[in-house]
Amino acid sequence: MLQRLKLGWIIGGLLSLSACGYVDKYEEAVYEEEPRYCYQQLGSVKCFSEPVHRDAARLVNYYGPHPNRYDTPSPPDRLESVAPPPVAFYVRDEEPIPDDSTVHPATDQ
C-alpha cells in the first residue's frame, strides 16, 4: 500500500513538472523576446503587443509566450436588434431636369 502511494506521488510530480514546459521548440526560442503577435489583415500584416483571440485563425507569427498562455476573454453580450420607429412621411428630392447643354454637349466644328 505504501509503495503504491509513493509511486502515485512520483507519477503526479512528474506530470506536474511536464506541464510547465514550452508549447513547442519555436516558443522556447522566442519566449524571452518582447511579445509581438502578428495577424494577416486585408493586404498587410498588423502586429499587437497582446494576442487578439478573435483573430486566432489569422495568426501569422509571434514572439514571446505562445498565445494560448493568455486567458481568452469571454465573448461580449449580444445586442438585441431593434427596428427604427416608423414615420408617417418621407422627403423626396425633385427629379433633376436635364437641359440641352448636358444632354447634347456643344461641339465646336
Side-chain angles (χ1 to χ4, degrees), residues 31-109:
Y31 190 82
E32 298 299 323
E33 299 286 329
E34 179 183 350
R36 297 306 284 162
Y37 301 91
C38 300
Y39 298 89
Q40 181 69 47
Q41 303 290 325
L42 289 174
S44 66
V45 174
K46 192 168 183 181
C47 297
F48 303 93
S49 59
E50 290 185 358
V52 181
H53 292 284
R54 70 172 185 267
D55 292 339
R58 299 186 310 183
L59 180 68
V60 175
N61 199 0
Y62 70 91
Y63 295 100
H66 192 275
N68 289 345
R69 295 196 183 271
Y70 288 85
D71 292 332
T72 305
S74 60
D77 295 335
R78 288 196 73 109
L79 297 176
E80 179 104 15
S81 297
V82 178
V87 293
F89 65 93
Y90 66 93
V91 178
R92 181 175 174 181
D93 293 335
E94 293 182 14
E95 293 289 328
I97 301 173
D99 59 357
D100 288 338
S101 64
T102 59
V103 176
H104 302 289
T107 57
D108 296 330
Q109 289 182 349

Side-chain angles (χ1 to χ4, degrees), residues 6-16:
K6 283 183 184 180
L7 183 62
W9 277 100
I10 291 172
I11 291 174
L14 289 175
L15 286 175
S16 65

Side-chain angles (χ1 to χ4, degrees), residues 21-36:
Y22 297 105
V23 172
D24 54 14
K25 292 282 188 187
Y26 180 76
E27 183 190 15
E28 185 176 358
V30 299
Y31 190 82
E32 298 299 323
E33 299 286 329
E34 179 183 350
R36 297 306 284 162

